[in-house]
């Protein structure tokens, strides 16, 4: 998986039903988010925030950043992470990016970077006492978004869903 997966995902995403983005985030919002989260975003994450800011299509919502509105958690990685760090001891190197709506969330796990300095996407849930990792569901943000996009496009070959919906392997 690679940066090319992110580029492909972002080029195909507009073909999905109900496609919408925030239109990209300015560098000031990105820098403020990095400072608030105490994380240096990866290349793919930076590209996603610069180009989309947030992405939604046909029942899928990839969280964006809005460091100036911490009141609404849904769809906002900054607000969600800061709230859950404080309230539930969310690991500081995890950045929420997707809600499976079944108690599991997808996180970028910055505690485990690959050779390209990209965090894997993991699925985890809070069991009432601590966060429990269900599985690694994608090698990086690009492969995660690409799989979501490809599942929605009729012209794309169908692949098995990942994570809680099936095996990554």
């Amino acid at each position: 998986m690679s940066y090319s997966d992110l580029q492909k995902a972002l080029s195909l995403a507009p073909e999905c039903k109900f496609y919408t983005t925030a239109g990209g985030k300015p560098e000031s919002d990105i820098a403020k988010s990095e400072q608030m989260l105490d994380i240096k975003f990866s290349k793919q994450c930076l590209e996603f925030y610069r180009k989309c800011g947030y992405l939604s299509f046909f029942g899928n919502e990839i969280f964006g950043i809005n460091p100036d509105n911490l009141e609404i958690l849904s769809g906002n990685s900054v607000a969600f992470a800061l709230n859950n760090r404080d309230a539930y001891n969310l690991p500081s190197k995890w950045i929420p990016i997707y809600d499976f709506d079944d108690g599991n969330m997808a996180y970028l796990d910055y505690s485990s970077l690959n050779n390209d300095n990209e965090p894997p996407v993991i699925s985890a849930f809070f069991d009432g006492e601590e966060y429990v990792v269900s599985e690694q569901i994608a090698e990086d943000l690009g492969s995660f978004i690409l799989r979501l996009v490809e599942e929605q496009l009729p012209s794309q070959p169908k692949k098995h869903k990942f994570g809680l919906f099936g095996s990554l392997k």
Side-chain angles (χ1 to χ4, degrees), residues 29-92:
D29 282 0
I30 293 169
K32 186 174 183 179
S33 296
E34 286 179 323
Q35 181 181 19
M36 293 173 79
L37 294 170
D38 194 27
I39 293 281
K40 179 72 176 146
F41 294 134
S42 69
K43 179 180 178 180
Q44 289 183 32
C45 199
L46 287 170
E47 185 76 8
F48 173 73
Y49 293 141
R50 287 174 180 143
K51 285 190 174 181
C52 297
Y54 161 95
L55 175 60
S56 178
F57 55 89
F58 202 71
N60 295 286
E61 177 184 51
I62 293 88
F63 292 7
I65 52 172
N66 187 348
D68 296 323
N69 182 357
L70 303 180
E71 300 299 315
I72 299 174
L73 305 183
S74 180
N76 184 349
S77 290
V78 177
F80 196 99
L82 293 176
N83 178 79
N84 285 25
R85 285 177 183 177
D86 185 50
Y88 306 108
N89 203 24
L90 176 72
S92 63

Side-chain angles (χ1 to χ4, degrees), residues 72-142:
I72 299 174
L73 305 183
S74 180
N76 184 349
S77 290
V78 177
F80 196 99
L82 293 176
N83 178 79
N84 285 25
R85 285 177 183 177
D86 185 50
Y88 306 108
N89 203 24
L90 176 72
S92 63
K93 297 292 185 183
W94 290 10
I95 306 300
I97 59 165
Y98 188 89
D99 187 347
F100 286 105
D101 288 328
D102 66 357
N104 284 278
M105 297 279 299
Y107 299 90
L108 294 171
D109 181 4
Y110 277 90
S111 70
S112 175
L113 302 177
N114 66 19
N115 292 338
D116 294 323
N117 290 318
E118 293 294 335
V121 178
I122 60 170
S123 172
F125 64 94
F126 185 72
D127 72 358
E129 293 183 24
E130 64 182 359
Y131 281 87
V132 177
V133 175
S134 302
E135 63 184 313
Q136 179 177 319
I137 54 177
E139 291 183 40
D140 55 35
L141 181 63

